[in-house]
Amino acid sequence: MATREELSEFLAGVQRRAFKQAVFAVRDESHALDIVQDAMMKIAENYGDRPAAELPLLFTRILQNSIHDFFRRSKVRSAWVTLFSALGSDDDPDADPLETLEARGDGRAESSEAAFEREQIVAAIEEEVAKLPARQREAFLLRYWEDFDTAETAAAMGCSEGSVKTHCSRATSALAKALKERGISL
Amino acid sequence: MNQDEFGFRIRQALNEGAERLDYRTMLRLEQARGAALARQRHAGPATVRVPALQLAGAGSPAVDEGTGAWHWLRGAGWIAPLLALAVGFVAISQWQHQLEIERLAALDFAVLLDDGPLDAYADQGFGVLLQAERQLDH
């Protein structure tokens, strides 16, 4: 059984990535925070007595389900949020919420040109990741960001390992192509 | 660059982005984590079961059904009447047996002293009784 300290440590370790994943999916910071909070509540209330080793997979499934529930509850929300983000930005109709997020960090950003360029690259990568189809993004992030193996990713997504490989391959190709078109080389 | 290497590079970039969350977002995440931990399943102290109409402050040892002498006495409450009944049966049985011995002794004493009534020797039941006692002596 996971102790309070183990659960706290686990949540502290995943909360940033969980938030980012939710932002990639719903493209709204406030909703993403609600989703992460909902997922944290669910894992604590329903699975707080499970062994600590089971928490990563459980939390991933809960988070993905929370994201899916969000879309189920409000099918038009994504379009509405995109419109709201466009209106809320300065004059750029193609602006992305992630760019807004990054802009908030400008006040404490490093002043060097290299650091600024790196920030731009990171923002561009996040933007392109957010543009991936949902299942491809989910598979890619679980596989390469959460460091799940293929079987764990398949279990978390409720699909076959073959589907995971296909999603990851397509996501990689799409990302590489998009970044190359933007002149970004990794 | 193969797929795994590409994934690793993307991962580094995503980690950098995740590290740059603003303080308000981090505050909300920390609050969410604290709220979740407060509701962790089986995370709190052991639950104390109190009867529905029991006042919470009345938790004296007398109502603590799980500890020490009181627990033993609660069990003894069921056993004591049974023990008393058994002791009563044994006592009555012993008393009846003692009365029977005394009655036979008085009879034997009367026979030995030839104090018995003459009618007793003519009574068939008295003869059977003497015969039975003789068999018991052997």
Side-chain angles (χ1 to χ4, degrees):
Chain A
M1 173 181 156
T3 64
R4 182 186 173 87
E5 290 71 27
E6 285 173 330
L7 182 62
S8 176
E9 189 178 347
F10 166 75
L11 292 177
V14 299
Q15 62 187 10
R16 290 169 182 266
R17 296 199 303 276
F19 169 71
K20 278 290 190 180
Q21 287 187 46
V23 170
F24 291 154
V26 303
R27 291 176 165 247
D28 182 88
E29 190 178 353
S30 178
H31 291 312
L33 282 169
D34 290 341
I35 287 169
V36 174
Q37 178 170 339
D38 185 47
M40 285 181 172
M41 286 289 189
K42 282 179 180 170
I43 196 170
E45 284 181 345
N46 302 324
Y47 302 99
D49 57 345
R50 302 291 281 270
E54 295 181 13
L55 295 180
L57 188 55
L58 283 169
F59 184 72
T60 299
R61 294 192 73 156
I62 292 170
L63 180 66
Q64 299 303 332
N65 286 338
S66 297
I67 291 171
H68 296 161
D69 288 344
F70 171 83
F71 284 118
R72 268 197 289 270
R73 283 195 301 267
S74 178
K75 291 180 180 176
V76 296
R77 180 171 295 171
S78 182
W80 192 89
V81 166
T82 302
L83 175 63
F84 179 82
S85 300
L87 292 174
S89 63
D90 293 336
D91 288 316
D92 184 2
D94 295 325
D96 188 89
L98 290 172
E99 291 179 347
T100 307
L101 286 177
E102 291 308 316
R104 292 180 184 177
D106 284 350
R108 55 193 170 90
E110 298 173 37
S111 59
S112 72
E113 188 176 341
F116 180 74
E117 282 183 10
R118 181 65 187 170
E119 272 189 33
Q120 296 301 306
I121 290 173
V122 169
I125 289 172
E126 288 183 336
E127 187 180 336
E128 294 303 330
V129 167
K131 285 180 182 174
L132 289 172
R135 296 291 278 177
Q136 287 184 26
R137 182 178 60 244
E138 194 178 333
F140 183 85
L141 292 179
L142 291 179
R143 185 78 180 81
Y144 294 109
W145 203 14
E146 296 294 339
D147 210 20
F148 284 13
D149 61 27
T150 307
E152 289 171 333
T153 306
M157 292 179 64
C159 65
S160 67
E161 294 185 32
S163 295
V164 169
K165 290 175 183 173
T166 302
H167 287 317
C168 284
S169 176
R170 288 178 179 169
T172 304
S173 299
L175 269 178
K177 182 182 176 186
L179 293 175
K180 187 176 180 181
E181 286 174 355
R182 296 178 69 151
I184 296 172
S185 60
L186 296 176
Chain B
M1 186 186 304
N2 63 28
Q3 187 172 318
D4 286 343
E5 194 176 344
F6 179 82
F8 180 72
R9 299 279 178 87
I10 295 291
R11 174 184 182 165
Q12 285 182 314
L14 294 175
N15 282 337
E16 283 185 42
E19 288 299 319
R20 283 203 291 265
L21 295 180
D22 63 82
Y23 78 95
R24 286 180 186 169
T25 301
M26 285 309 300
L27 184 63
R28 278 283 310 273
L29 289 173
E30 292 299 331
Q31 288 173 343
R33 183 160 63 99
L37 290 172
R39 296 166 73 168
Q40 183 184 6
R41 194 174 185 174
H42 301 312
T47 303
V48 178
R49 285 171 38 179
V50 177
L53 297 178
Q54 175 78 44
L55 290 175
S60 67
V63 296
D64 187 356
E65 57 188 45
T67 57
W70 293 107
H71 178 71
W72 184 87
L73 283 176
R74 283 174 64 86
W78 290 99
I79 296 170
L82 293 176
L83 275 177
L85 193 62
V87 169
F89 276 128
V90 171
I92 290 171
S93 174
Q94 288 291 325
W95 178 59
Q96 290 283 355
H97 188 59
Q98 190 62 33
L99 282 181
E100 182 67 14
I101 289 172
E102 288 176 1
R103 191 181 66 81
L104 290 174
L107 192 58
D108 287 345
F109 193 64
V111 169
L112 287 172
L113 293 179
D114 286 338
D115 252 359
L118 290 176
D119 292 345
Y121 296 99
D123 185 79
Q124 193 174 359
F126 185 67
V128 172
L129 176 66
L130 293 178
Q131 196 172 4
E133 284 186 334
R134 205 171 297 127
Q135 286 176 352
L136 283 174
D137 290 341
H138 294 293

